[in-house]
Structure formats: C-alpha cells, structure tokens
Amino acid sequence: AQTVTQSQPEMSVQEAETVTLSCTYDTSESDYYLFWYKQPPSRQMILVIRQEAYKQQNATENRFSVNFQKAAKSFSLKISDSQLGDAAMYFCAYRDMNRDDKIIFGKGTRLHILP
Amino acid sequence: NAGVTQTPKFQVLKTGQSMTLQCAQDMNHEYMSWYRQDPGMGLRLIHYSVGAGITDQGEVPNGYNVSRSTTEDFPLRLLSAAPSQTSVYFCASSYVERTEQFFGPGTRLTVL
C-alpha cells in the first residue's frame, strides 16, 4: 500500500527567509500525482502546488516550488521569502492513477513564521 | 458556484445517537470522499465514491456508512456514535482524471 511520510512535525522560519518541508512516499506505481496542501487556522484545505510524476520539471507557483526526486521518492516543498500568512499546517499527498483514485495524506508539518 | 458545502459546521452528540453529515458539490465531480482529521494523524480516508451508485471503503470505515444516489450529494452516516468518532470531518470532490481535490469547510463533531 502507498504511504506518505512527513518527518518534521513542526518547523519554524524567520520572516523573509526560505524554508523546506520534507515529504517521502512509497509506491510501486510509475504514474501518479503529488500535492502539497496548506491548512491555515481557518481549517480550510488549500491546494498549494501539484506535480505530475511523468513530468521531470519541478512545479513552481510564485514563492512555492518543489524538489521532486522520483527515484528517491522524495517531494519537498520550498517556500521562499516566508510571510506571516504562510503559517499553517502543510500536508503532502499522493494520488495514484489506478481506477480507485484514492488520495493518501501525510501527517502534516506545522510551520511557524517568526517575525 | 458554491463548490463543496458541508452541514452542519459543528455538532455535539451523545454516545449511541445517530446522525448524518451532509456534503454537496456543484462542480459535476465524479469523485467524492470523506476524511477525518485527528491531531497528529493527518487526514484519513473513511469512504469514497467514483460516481453515483458506487462507493468503497477507505482506511477507517468502521462505524460509518455512505451512499451516493446522485452526483452532487455524498452523505456520511454515523449509526451509533462513539467518543472515538470525535473529530473534524472533511468532504472533498474532484474529477476522476486525477486532479486535485476540492475540500469543504469541515464539520467539527464531538461525541460525549
């Protein structure tokens, strides 16, 4: 069965600095999607970035980028120029391309932004 | 376009009571799912559906029932609530083509 591991339960970063959140996953599939979701105190789940496994190029969305290492099964999220509004819980998620379409989430990393 | 809606936002039950958490989406998504979120556990899949009339179990299905009679609605039923079901419940939907899921605002359920 697929698993997603986020090894950092909490992290802190100084405002305007760069921080990297780690995520590893285990799968025997070759085609799949990976996601990072943000959950602020409002509890709403917000998609941050998405990566297709068949694409070698790392996805980027403004200050957010990923380092996707398919062979190592690693999918880290880099946040540049951290802002106070980035403080949230971040979840890494995996979705395979089998018919059942289940999405598996990691346990999350709580990110604190220090002013 | 309301997206994914969930009702109620908060609910308190006594042990043994039953209730239904409602979820609806207006994006014509085939795929819908229910998760529960507990501290330190991330989001765990309860049940999911890939279309009307089709449902399947996720990681933690015990104590919950679902049905999918229409594309829009995917209610989650607790037949006999237990304190272990105290949690935040999220409904989510997406197209089947492996795109990202859209989440509802969540329901905080407390079972006394």
Side-chain angles (χ1 to χ4, degrees):
Chain A
Q2 293 86 353
T3 59
V4 177
T5 302
Q6 294 179 249
S7 59
Q8 305 148 316
E10 287 195 65
M11 294 190 71
S12 297
V13 63
Q14 209 74 32
E15 195 176 1
E17 296 296 308
T18 295
V19 64
T20 298
L21 280 57
S22 300
C23 173
T24 58
Y25 58 94
D26 187 26
T27 183
S28 57
E29 304 293 332
S30 58
D31 292 324
Y32 48 87
Y33 281 97
L34 297 163
F35 308 94
W36 278 99
Y37 281 89
K38 171 185 177 181
Q39 187 181 42
S42 67
R43 204 170 66 196
Q44 182 67 46
M45 293 288 287
I46 303 165
L47 179 70
V48 175
I49 202 164
R50 174 181 66 191
Q51 176 78 44
E52 293 88 346
Y54 60 85
K55 290 186 179 178
Q56 292 186 337
Q57 186 173 4
N58 289 326
T60 299
E61 289 287 342
N62 300 314
R63 297 183 295 107
F64 298 87
S65 61
V66 298
N67 183 4
F68 174 48
Q69 301 289 329
K70 191 172 183 179
K73 297 180 183 175
S74 171
F75 183 61
S76 60
L77 175 69
K78 185 173 82 171
I79 305 174
S80 304
D81 186 26
S82 297
Q83 301 175 0
L84 294 177
D86 295 333
M89 197 75 167
Y90 286 83
F91 292 97
C92 178
Y94 165 98
R95 187 173 199 179
D96 67 31
M97 290 194 171
N98 289 333
R99 183 67 181 94
D100 61 10
D101 280 321
K102 286 187 288 189
I103 297 183
I104 308 299
F105 284 84
K107 294 185 177 180
T109 296
R110 184 170 299 282
L111 180 64
H112 303 278
I113 310 296
L114 307 174
Chain B
N1 190 336
V4 181
T5 58
Q6 290 183 238
T7 56
K9 285 188 169 52
F10 301 93
Q11 182 71 48
V12 178
L13 292 178
K14 294 181 180 179
T15 297
Q17 286 185 316
S18 63
M19 79 159 297
T20 299
L21 304 184
Q22 301 291 346
C23 174
Q25 53 90 12
D26 59 0
M27 297 172 281
N28 204 31
H29 286 165
E30 304 95 336
Y31 182 86
M32 297 187 74
S33 56
W34 277 102
Y35 296 88
R36 59 177 289 172
Q37 183 179 18
D38 303 293
M41 299 296 291
L43 279 79
R44 292 183 292 170
L45 183 65
I46 304 172
H47 286 285
Y48 65 99
S49 168
V50 297
I54 306 169
T55 64
D56 207 345
Q57 296 180 350
E59 184 184 359
V60 287
N62 292 340
Y64 308 95
N65 280 352
V66 292
S67 60
R68 184 94 179 270
S69 56
T70 67
T71 299
E72 294 79 18
D73 300 299
F74 191 44
L76 178 72
R77 297 182 185 86
L78 284 71
L79 300 179
S80 178
S84 60
Q85 294 178 305
T86 293
S87 187
V88 178
Y89 291 84
F90 286 96
C91 179
S93 73
S94 74
Y95 293 112
V96 173
E97 290 82 22
R98 273 75 65 179
T99 59
E100 67 272 17
Q101 287 194 313
F102 295 83
F103 284 81
T107 295
R108 181 175 292 279
L109 175 68
T110 301
V111 182
L112 303 176

